[in-house]
């Protein structure tokens, strides 16, 4: 009973919402499947939005990049939630077939860039929003620490590229219905190599130009593995 299931979810969530500390937010995370396959209760951003709207202003919608049906326009969802004041934040990862929890930008870096383009555009236009940025990934092939470093760097890269978009020119092209110029402006920013900029930022902050290389050279994994062996 789809309506009754949603009502019961809201009844439970309302009790949790009422008990929240005054400075906390409730982040509702939609997912197309799992644990159920054909129908979950909060299966898409629409259900998440309806629930957040019913709960109150401190309930918002969290966007996990792997929780959507294939070919869903995630940046459009981000734009809608920003406009409604309901964007809680992100679980950054990437996917090929489903909720794969791959490293951020490992499959669809342009999609990640387009998500950040919406965030930068909203900030440029003075829209009030405060998203939380998180990584939600599963590393069963790679070193988890190295993957988290790589994902963090990819998120920074996508943000830096989005900052390069000529906002005035893009706005003009959009207002003129000039899709080709708008596309070229976005692609020009996305195809810009921002590696030197990111390396300089890390260096000036006291970090390593090559975080993964520095991590490997440090021997940290070997030391920790000796202290906490897999088999005790």
């Amino acid at each position: 009973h789809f309506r009754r299931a949603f009502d019961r979810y809201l009844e439970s969530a309302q009790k949790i919402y009422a008990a929240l500390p005054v400075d906390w937010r409730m982040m509702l995370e939609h997912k197309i499947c799992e644990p159920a396959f054909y129908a979950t209760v909060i299966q898409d951003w629409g259900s998440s939005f309806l629930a957040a709207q019913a709960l109150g202003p401190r309930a918002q919608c969290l966007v996990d990049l792997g929780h959507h049906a294939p070919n869903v326009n995630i940046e459009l969802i981000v734009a809608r939630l920003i406009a409604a004041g309901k964007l809680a934040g992100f679980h950054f990862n990437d996917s090929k077939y489903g909720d794969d929890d791959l490293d951020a930008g490992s499959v669809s870096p342009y999609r990640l860039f387009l998500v950040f383009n919406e965030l930068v555009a909203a900030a440029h236009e003075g829209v009030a929003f405060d998203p939380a940025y998180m990584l939600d990934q599963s590393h069963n092939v790679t070193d988890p620490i190295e993957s988290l470093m790589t994902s963090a760097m990819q998120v920074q890269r996508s943000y830096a590229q989005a900052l390069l978009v000529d906002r005035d020119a893009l706005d003009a092209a959009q207002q003129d219905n000039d899709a080709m110029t708008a596309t070229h402006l976005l692609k020009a920013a996305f195809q810009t190599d921002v590696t030197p900029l990111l390396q300089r930022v890390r260096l000036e902050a006291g970090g390593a130009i090559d975080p993964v290389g520095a991590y490997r050279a440090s021997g940290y994994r070997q030391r920790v593995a000796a202290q906490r062996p897999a088999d005790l």
Side-chain angles (χ1 to χ4, degrees), residues 6 8-30 42 47-63 81 85-91 130-132 134:
F6 190 71
R8 287 171 175 162
Y9 171 87
L10 285 180
E11 182 182 358
S12 174
Q14 284 165 347
K15 295 177 181 178
I16 299 170
Y17 185 87
L20 286 178
V22 293
D23 58 343
W24 284 28
R25 288 186 289 169
M26 178 183 283
M27 299 185 181
L28 310 181
E29 184 177 12
H30 59 277
I42 306 295
S47 296
S48 178
F49 176 76
L50 288 174
Q53 202 171 37
L55 291 172
R58 289 188 292 138
Q60 295 179 307
C61 306
L62 183 71
V63 177
L81 292 176
K86 286 296 186 180
L87 179 63
F90 298 90
H91 279 175
D130 183 25
M134 295 169 276

Side-chain angles (χ1 to χ4, degrees), residues 25-225:
R25 288 186 289 169
M26 178 183 283
M27 299 185 181
L28 310 181
E29 184 177 12
H30 59 277
K31 190 172 186 178
I32 188 172
C33 60
E34 297 177 359
F37 188 78
Y38 290 107
T40 59
V41 179
I42 306 295
Q43 86 287 356
D44 59 19
W45 77 274
S47 296
S48 178
F49 176 76
L50 288 174
Q53 202 171 37
L55 291 172
R58 289 188 292 138
Q60 295 179 307
C61 306
L62 183 71
V63 177
D64 184 306
L65 272 65
H67 285 194
H68 305 83
N71 301 320
V72 166
N73 190 335
I74 299 177
E75 61 270 22
L76 177 61
I77 295 172
V78 172
R80 293 285 185 266
L81 292 176
I82 290 174
K86 286 296 186 180
L87 179 63
F90 298 90
H91 279 175
F92 287 121
N93 50 48
D94 212 335
S95 66
K96 184 73 172 179
Y97 300 106
D99 187 24
D100 302 330
D101 281 342
L102 304 176
D103 293 2
S106 59
V107 176
S108 302
Y110 189 58
R111 181 174 65 185
L112 184 58
F113 161 78
L114 291 175
V115 167
F116 272 96
N117 178 63
E118 293 301 326
L119 298 173
V120 172
H124 177 74
E125 295 161 14
V127 179
F129 68 114
D130 183 25
Y133 300 103
M134 295 169 276
L135 300 176
D136 180 14
Q137 301 172 179
S138 177
H139 314 109
N140 58 359
V141 176
T142 60
D143 181 325
I145 296 178
E146 292 183 3
S147 271
L148 291 173
M149 287 180 180
T150 301
S151 292
M153 289 188 288
Q154 181 60 52
V155 167
Q156 291 173 329
R157 179 180 300 276
S158 299
Y159 178 42
Q161 290 169 328
L163 289 171
L164 294 178
V165 175
D166 187 334
R167 293 289 151 196
D168 293 335
L170 181 59
D171 286 344
Q174 290 167 335
Q175 293 294 340
D176 291 339
N177 293 320
D178 187 349
M180 188 58 68
T181 296
T183 298
H184 284 169
L185 289 166
L186 290 171
K187 285 291 183 68
F190 173 70
Q191 292 170 349
T192 300
D193 184 5
V194 295
T195 301
L197 170 64
L198 298 177
Q199 289 177 337
R200 178 175 178 177
V201 169
R202 286 196 289 270
L203 186 63
E204 291 180 348
I209 290 178
D210 177 12
V212 174
Y215 163 71
R216 290 186 174 185
S218 72
Y220 174 82
R221 181 180 178 85
Q222 292 77 10
R223 292 196 306 274
V224 172

